[in-house]
């Protein structure tokens, strides 16, 4: 029984993340998508909202569960009894950061292995931060995020715009 953890901010989940998840379940039995709960990192969506988005978007994929974690990733992996960490790589720019993190995690727990899964060519340019910026200015995020996330993004920015307008009036 091979169990893996796919950690990240997922603020919000994108089709790039979803593609990694779909490909991972072809070689792991269980995949825990782990949303990092880091109050010092400013996020657009709350952890609860992000968990809801991922749960809905992965409902059709067997073997996937969604949880939040805080603190050290290796502690969460031990708690989950998972020996594998999955990370996605889009380009060389991701590599240095990801490689450092994998080495640090190996130092903390040599029994936990990190596996890098390459992004699909279609989603190499897709990032949560890029998507938030596009959506904020009313751009089209079709095919970049799951349908449920698309609606939540527009709602979030619509509400923010209304709040800002209300504030100025
Ligand atoms: P973090 O803040 O931990 O980087 P993210 O939610 O941005 O969290 O990303 C989680 C993981 O998914 C990272 O390993 C990242 O490189 C990977 N990832 C992000 N976007 C894509 C994408 N479009 N295709 C493949 N992997 C991706």
């Amino acid at each position: 029984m091979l169990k893996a953890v796919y950690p990240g901010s997922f603020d919000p989940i994108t089709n790039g993340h979803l593609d990694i998840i779909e490909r991972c379940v072809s070689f792991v039995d269980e995949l825990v998508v782990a949303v990092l709960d880091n109050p010092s990192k400013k996020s657009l969506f709350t952890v609860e909202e992000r968990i809801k988005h991922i749960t809905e978007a992965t409902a059709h994929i067997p073997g996937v569960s969604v949880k939040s974690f805080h603190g050290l990733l290796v502690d969460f992996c031990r708690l989950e009894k998972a020996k594998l960490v999955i990370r996605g790589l889009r380009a060389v720019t991701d590599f240095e950061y990801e490689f450092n993190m994998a080495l640090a995690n190996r130092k903390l727990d040599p029994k936990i292995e990190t596996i890098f899964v390459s992004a699909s060519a279609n989603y190499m340019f897709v990032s949560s931060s890029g998507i938030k910026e596009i959506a904020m200015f009313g751009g089209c995020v079709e095919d970049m995020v799951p349908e449920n996330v698309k609606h939540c993004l527009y709602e979030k920015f619509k509400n923010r715009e209304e709040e800002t307008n209300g504030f100025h009036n």
Side-chain angles (χ1 to χ4, degrees), residues 12-18 53-54 56-58 131 141-153:
I13 184 170
T14 69
N15 283 348
H17 294 130
L18 206 51
H53 298 156
I54 303 168
E56 288 170 358
T58 58
I131 276 163
V141 292
E142 195 74 48
D143 297 333
M144 295 184 224
V145 290
E147 277 297 297
N148 61 329
V149 171
K150 189 177 84 178
H151 297 300
C152 293
L153 272 169

Side-chain angles (χ1 to χ4, degrees), residues 20-91:
I20 297 279
I21 295 169
E22 278 167 348
R23 284 189 290 129
C24 277
V25 293
S26 68
F27 61 84
V28 302
D29 303 295
E30 260 186 82
L31 183 69
V32 182
V33 182
V35 179
L36 177 64
D37 184 2
N38 181 0
S40 61
K41 196 169 170 185
K42 211 173 148 8
S43 60
L44 178 65
F45 293 104
T46 65
V47 171
E48 291 72 25
E49 287 172 324
R50 285 180 266 160
I51 288 178
K52 184 169 181 283
H53 298 156
I54 303 168
T55 306
E56 288 170 358
T58 58
H60 64 290
I61 313 172
V64 175
S65 59
V66 190
K67 295 183 181 171
S68 69
F69 78 104
H70 64 273
L72 292 178
L73 176 62
V74 290
D75 287 337
F76 179 73
C77 291
R78 285 191 205 118
L79 192 76
E80 288 293 319
K81 297 187 172 45
K83 292 255 186 300
L84 270 190
V85 170
I86 305 287
R87 293 288 290 179
L89 276 184
R90 279 162 292 190

Side-chain angles (χ1 to χ4, degrees), residues 6-20 23 34 36 41 50 69 86-91 94 97-98 101 115-120 122-129 131 144:
Y6 179 33
S9 307
F10 303 105
D11 185 39
I13 184 170
T14 69
N15 283 348
H17 294 130
L18 206 51
D19 174 60
I20 297 279
R23 284 189 290 129
L36 177 64
K41 196 169 170 185
R50 285 180 266 160
F69 78 104
I86 305 287
R87 293 288 290 179
L89 276 184
R90 279 162 292 190
D94 278 341
Y97 171 76
E98 294 291 344
M101 201 161 64
I115 288 193
F116 299 113
V117 178
S118 60
S120 297
N122 286 350
Y123 302 121
M124 263 185 77
F125 68 99
V126 174
S127 68
S128 299
S129 53
I131 276 163
M144 295 184 224

